Amino acid sequence: MQKQRSILALIFVLIIAAITVIVTIPTRLGLDLQGGSQLTIQVKTTPTIPKIDQGMLEAVRRIVENRVNGLGVSEALVQTVGEDQILVQLPGVNDPQQAERVLGGTAKLEFLEQLPGTETQLAIERQLQQELLVKQEELKISPNEAAIKENQAALKRSNDAIAKLFKSTGLGGENLKDAQPQPLAAGNNWNVALVFDTKGGELFAQLTKNLAGTGRSIGIFLDERMISSPVVGVEFAQAGITGGSAVIQGNFTTQEANDLAVQLRGGALPVPVEIVENRTIGASLGKDSIQSSINAGIGGLVLVLIFMVAYYRLPGVIANIALLIYALLTWAAFVLLGVTLTLPGIAGFVLSIGMAVDANVLIFERTREELRAGKSLYRSVESGFYRAFSSILDGNVTTVIACVALFWLGAGLVKGFAVTLGLGVVVSMFSAITCSRTLLLVVLSFPALRKPQWFCPNLSKTANS
Amino acid sequence: MKFSVIKQRSLWWSISAAIILAGIVSMAISWTRPDIRAPLRPSLDFIGGTRLQFELDCTKPENCKPIDIAAVREVLDAQGLAGSSIQVIGQEQRGLSLRTKTLDVEQRTNLQTALSEKIGVFAPQSTQIDTVGPTLGKQLFTSGLLALFLSFAGITVYLTFRFQLDYAFFAFVALFHDVLVTLGVFSFLGLVQGVEVDSLFVVALLTIIGFSVNDTVVIYDRVREIIKLNPGQSIDQIVDDAVMQTMGRSINTTFATLLTLFSIFLFGGETLKYFALALIVGFIAGAYSSIFIASTLLAWWRSRTAHSIPVPAEGINQSEEV
């Protein structure tokens, strides 16, 4: 009895602790429940960088994180997955398009110097490029994929031809201190204003000094594509443009200028990336599904509780108390371990309730058998627990094996399910064996409750109590 | 009169064989269908693609009316997306679900703008976008399959260690049975209802494995116990007794779990609906296979090989002491 009292005390303390944890720490809800975007970014290799190592992946992750911060999403999560992927979770984001555009671009910015004697050639090539771009827009709405591809190839050729007319200056995105969208006085066009760091400022002054008054232009290239080619006025021939700031004029829309500024502030990616997965769920959809799932879960649970009492009588009541304790403890464990609750996670939780019920069912069926075999109530309960144990253990270990396989190999949502089911199974072992057992033995210490028919209906008269 | 699983084992085996065979036929038919080309209808989780779900924004005046599917098809054709699947959803026909090839941001934005112009403004709060690249889809598929095999192997090894190899083997057969039945049912649903299997389906299969082996283990545990108590008894009798003694538990546990699953299937969110259904099918198959397949096969094998477990003499006393 002394032992049971201390276990009872322990259970009581655990319940209080669990309730405190649940009340004080908010449960983390997955994106499928609160709405938001989840993007998987594939980091790609290039001829110069044939293999993505951990250092490279981490570098990309940091840049992606910078860009996410630039988007102003709170509680965003950016993490590396496997060898060459990055997972970005943006809770509550309502413009997934922007997130995708901003995260997917390489944003390699370069300032190049036009080579002497190429003025006419550049004018011709620019003209050609403009025509191709207009054609591209027209083609976009037609379903002719071959024509689109052909045009894209032509664009690339023209761009390469333009790039040949410029030489490197060593000034690029890495020399930026800040980038901001800037409205033009007239029309809807936007520019992007740049502020260079000290070295960048010097390089820019040098570049503009070289070009001032020559009629040759600065080639501003983004991801190896020319976006503007301003000419420097003769008045800067003395010292170049000093002060460390510049403006990219690219006929940008508000949206484009904003995106580019975020990308430039975040830094250029060393390798190209591609968004291979986007799962976005609207906020109200998430709310709907959480509400209906919770309702369904609670409804199911209540049915189970009723069934247990109807079928197992007094032990059923005790099993129900143990089940509720189980639910509280598991929930608290989720919160403490920082498990993000997703829809499959809730399913895993509900299923682990099934496991917890199973353990109790096994024990009570055993107890009934022992009672029918004519054993005393106390002994029947004791051996019910003792004999059911190996079945419970084997059954739970096999479930845990499946969970481990899921956790190891699954991704995202699947992992959440594995964690919640696995954790639930472990806690259910405790609740079924320790809680149910202690509570039952305590109940048995009250003579008024020591009635075999409350444990097993239709017990034959020959059985003694 | 006592119920015997052994006596009618050919009946149980035939029932299972018939269901599995029907499933295999359904998978074969599914394979030949040009729109599926796989045993089960795969969702974009596995083959890649984009699914878009919109709902008209009803807070705006004059915006909310039933969606005309022909108008949607026109827009899609103009965007070069002919052949995509279009579904109008919701009771008031205000929702739209599209499934296309993988679209990048720009293509998707264009499509969305074009649709809004023709149909009406969509509410961002109830928009759903799922895009999975084809390579990632393959990756999800192989890792799912691998997880399945890994847990099969893990469970077989564990049971061999806890019981014996033949127990483990027949438990494995029962598991395979459950997975086949579930696959068959979903292949059939894919044919007639267009139900797709996604990565949650793989999760469901793994859960079924974990759960139904649980059932089998409980019966095996009892078989082992009875063999210890009555070493001389025929294996048929032992298995019959073990099944009878654990029947109440098998039915009650499955019933209790099915209560929650049915509740989720009927009242839970759309996402979990087919997940719950897969579990319902799998758990019922699991309970059936534990009672009627794993046990009868074990008895059949043991009596055929006339091989029984040597029992240490003190085993009997030990059990009675408890």
Side-chain angles (χ1 to χ4, degrees):
Chain A
M1 204 57 228
Q2 190 52 47
K3 193 178 151 218
Q4 272 134 45
R5 227 172 256 148
S6 46
I7 295 178
L8 262 188
L10 171 72
I11 293 171
F12 192 70
V13 169
L14 280 175
I15 293 172
I16 299 292
I19 292 174
T20 319
V21 165
I22 291 167
V23 171
T24 49
I25 307 175
T27 311
R28 276 180 33 193
L29 296 181
L31 293 184
D32 53 342
L33 296 179
Q34 57 168 321
S37 286
Q38 174 172 306
L39 308 172
T40 307
I41 297 174
Q42 175 80 47
V43 180
K44 298 206 304 204
T45 54
T46 63
T48 43
I49 305 170
K51 196 179 176 308
I52 305 294
D53 57 16
Q54 279 303 308
M56 178 63 73
L57 188 61
E58 181 54 31
V60 173
R61 190 194 68 80
R62 225 171 303 130
I63 293 162
V64 168
E65 196 165 38
N66 281 340
R67 290 185 184 180
V68 168
N69 291 339
L71 286 173
V73 181
S74 58
E75 288 180 65
L77 182 78
V78 181
Q79 61 189 60
T80 60
V81 181
E83 283 164 10
D84 55 0
Q85 287 179 345
I86 291 171
L87 183 77
V88 181
Q89 294 194 321
L90 308 167
V93 69
N94 43 26
D95 190 357
Q97 262 87 355
Q98 192 201 8
E100 258 183 286
R101 273 194 313 265
V102 169
L103 297 183
T106 317
K108 184 177 164 219
L109 183 69
E110 277 176 304
F111 289 83
L112 303 180
E113 183 181 332
Q114 193 182 352
L115 295 167
T118 57
E119 288 87 346
T120 12
Q121 222 177 323
L122 179 63
I124 296 167
E125 288 292 348
R126 282 291 268 179
Q127 180 66 32
L128 177 68
Q129 192 184 32
Q130 285 310 320
E131 281 165 15
L132 285 170
L133 280 173
V134 171
K135 195 172 159 203
Q136 180 75 6
E137 282 303 312
E138 286 166 2
L139 281 172
K140 230 176 228 166
I141 42 174
S142 85
N144 190 344
E145 290 212 21
I148 295 176
K149 280 227 170 66
E150 197 182 310
N151 199 52
Q152 269 168 350
L155 259 175
K156 178 141 186 5
R157 275 199 301 278
S158 131
N159 198 57
D160 289 347
I162 292 175
K164 280 211 186 77
L165 310 177
F166 289 84
K167 68 168 187 187
S168 166
T169 61
L171 178 63
E174 65 275 15
N175 301 112
L176 288 181
K177 214 160 73 182
D178 194 15
Q180 292 293 340
Q182 192 183 62
L184 270 180
N188 268 332
N189 283 350
W190 284 65
N191 287 343
V192 177
L194 306 176
V195 179
F196 295 111
D197 59 9
T198 325
K199 187 176 166 238
E202 280 165 18
L203 283 169
F204 189 66
Q206 185 61 46
L207 170 66
T208 44
K209 192 175 138 195
N210 289 349
L211 292 175
T214 61
R216 287 181 282 138
S217 56
I218 305 175
I220 306 180
F221 284 73
L222 182 70
D223 294 338
E224 281 153 18
R225 200 171 63 79
M226 173 176 267
I227 47 173
S228 77
S229 53
V231 179
V232 187
V234 71
E235 66 271 25
F236 296 107
Q238 279 298 310
I241 299 175
T242 52
S245 63
V247 170
I248 308 177
Q249 297 172 328
N251 284 338
F252 301 116
T253 63
T254 325
Q255 192 70 262
E256 285 167 348
N258 230 328
D259 292 352
L260 180 58
V262 172
Q263 287 183 333
L264 292 176
R265 280 204 304 274
L269 293 170
V271 281
V273 296
E274 187 190 354
I275 294 178
V276 288
E277 187 187 20
N278 169 6
R279 294 183 190 269
T280 297
I281 185 149
S284 67
L285 270 184
K287 231 173 254 150
D288 285 352
S289 60
I290 190 173
Q291 204 49 54
S292 49
S293 303
I294 285 178
N295 289 348
I298 290 177
L301 185 61
V302 168
L303 287 177
V304 171
L305 295 181
I306 294 172
F307 167 72
M308 289 297 280
V309 177
Y311 196 87
Y312 290 106
R313 313 290 167 95
L314 186 58
V317 175
I318 289 179
N320 285 348
I321 296 172
L323 273 183
L324 293 177
I325 294 174
Y326 157 79
L328 272 180
L329 291 186
T330 313
W331 188 1
F334 290 165
V335 175
L336 272 183
L337 294 176
V339 174
T340 307
L341 210 55
T342 58
L343 220 43
I346 291 180
F349 182 50
V350 170
L351 283 178
S352 66
I353 290 177
M355 290 300 270
V357 173
D358 182 48
N360 282 302
V361 167
L362 269 168
I363 293 164
F364 300 152
E365 287 288 337
R366 264 304 164 115
T367 306
R368 285 189 173 184
E369 277 176 47
E370 302 290 321
L371 274 174
R372 290 201 190 97
K375 287 203 181 157
S376 79
L377 192 51
Y378 191 87
R379 282 208 121 200
S380 298
V381 170
E382 272 284 290
S383 70
F385 277 94
Y386 182 86
R387 291 195 158 185
F389 184 76
S390 86
S391 297
I392 297 172
L393 183 72
D394 286 337
N396 285 351
V397 168
T398 50
T399 307
V400 170
I401 289 175
C403 286
V404 170
L406 270 179
F407 186 77
W408 196 16
L409 294 164
L413 291 179
V414 176
K415 264 202 166 93
F417 174 84
V419 170
T420 49
L421 181 58
L423 206 62
V425 167
V426 172
V427 179
S428 82
M429 290 281 286
F430 169 79
S431 84
I433 291 163
T434 313
C435 295
S436 304
R437 183 167 185 270
T438 309
L439 290 173
L440 256 184
L441 293 179
V442 168
V443 163
L444 285 180
S445 66
F446 297 102
L449 295 173
R450 228 179 283 155
K451 294 202 171 109
Q453 62 270 32
W454 285 4
F455 286 76
C456 177
N458 308 325
L459 199 58
S460 69
K461 293 274 185 296
T462 50
N464 51 3
S465 50
Chain B
M1 195 212 107
K2 238 181 136 185
F3 171 79
S4 162
V5 280
I6 299 291
K7 269 198 196 120
Q8 274 150 336
R9 64 185 175 200
S10 24
L11 174 67
W12 315 132
W13 293 351
S14 317
I15 292 175
S16 283
I19 293 174
I20 289 174
L21 213 66
I24 290 173
V25 168
S26 156
M27 285 190 241
I29 294 172
S30 175
W31 195 292
T32 57
R33 285 265 293 259
D35 57 331
I36 308 178
R37 287 200 184 287
L40 285 89
R41 196 184 280 266
S43 81
L44 77 175
D45 274 12
F46 298 134
I47 50 174
T50 295
R51 181 174 51 222
L52 297 164
Q53 195 179 312
F54 304 113
E55 209 171 279
L56 287 171
D57 188 351
C58 285
T59 57
K60 294 203 166 56
E62 301 274 313
N63 189 40
C64 225
K65 46 192 185 289
I67 292 175
D68 176 15
I69 207 161
V72 177
R73 181 155 290 131
E74 225 168 86
V75 173
L76 281 169
D77 288 354
Q79 296 276 328
L81 296 169
S84 306
S85 98
I86 306 168
Q87 241 184 318
V88 174
I89 51 175
Q91 290 193 327
E92 280 108 41
Q93 310 277 293
R94 287 190 267 106
L96 183 62
S97 174
L98 304 173
R99 163 98 180 259
T100 65
K101 60 177 192 183
T102 315
L103 301 179
D104 63 24
V105 196
E106 213 178 319
Q107 292 167 315
R108 212 177 61 219
T109 317
N110 288 341
L111 174 63
Q112 236 164 302
T113 324
L115 279 173
S116 287
E117 276 165 13
K118 197 100 180 203
I119 315 280
V121 183
F122 299 114
Q125 301 88 353
S126 42
T127 297
Q128 192 174 344
I129 301 167
D130 287 280
T131 291
V132 179
T135 36
L136 189 81
K138 262 192 207 113
Q139 209 175 312
L140 279 173
F141 180 70
T142 40
S143 66
L145 219 57
L146 215 60
L148 213 59
F149 284 127
L150 194 76
S151 56
F152 264 140
I155 288 169
T156 312
V157 168
Y158 177 76
L159 289 184
T160 313
F161 171 71
R162 286 284 291 170
F163 293 89
Q164 275 173 335
L165 184 61
D166 52 355
Y167 282 81
F169 178 76
F170 292 116
F172 175 81
V173 171
L175 285 186
F176 209 66
H177 166 273
D178 307 337
V179 170
L180 277 179
V181 169
T182 315
L183 287 177
V185 170
F186 271 76
S187 167
F188 180 72
L189 285 176
L191 277 177
V192 297
Q193 289 262 312
V195 174
E196 294 176 346
V197 297
D198 53 12
S199 33
L200 267 185
F201 183 72
V202 179
V203 173
L205 287 182
L206 280 156
T207 317
I208 290 167
I209 291 176
F211 244 67
S212 75
V213 76
N214 194 2
D215 264 2
T216 313
V217 162
V218 171
I219 296 175
Y220 280 0
D221 205 49
R222 199 50 86 92
V223 170
R224 186 171 56 180
E225 194 183 314
I226 300 176
I227 289 179
K228 265 188 200 165
L229 285 169
N230 311 302
Q233 224 167 20
S234 80
I235 184 75
D236 285 1
Q237 188 59 46
I238 289 171
V239 168
D240 259 348
D241 287 350
V243 169
M244 278 316 295
Q245 287 167 18
T246 51
M247 189 76 94
R249 172 261 159 207
S250 293
I251 291 170
N252 284 352
T253 302
T254 310
F255 180 70
T257 317
L258 288 180
L259 279 180
T260 36
L261 286 176
F262 268 114
S263 160
I264 291 179
F265 175 66
L266 294 174
F267 309 112
E270 197 59 33
T271 333
L272 286 184
K273 193 174 173 165
Y274 287 108
F275 177 67
L277 184 63
L279 291 180
I280 290 170
V281 173
F283 285 2
I284 293 174
Y288 179 87
S289 72
S290 302
I291 296 173
F292 299 106
I293 305 293
S295 56
T296 51
L297 279 177
L298 181 74
W300 166 78
W301 169 255
R302 287 258 158 150
S303 58
R304 228 182 75 113
T305 54
H307 163 84
S308 70
I309 319 161
V311 181
E314 72 271 28
I316 304 162
N317 299 331
Q318 221 172 33
S319 317
E320 277 183 347
E321 257 170 48
V322 178

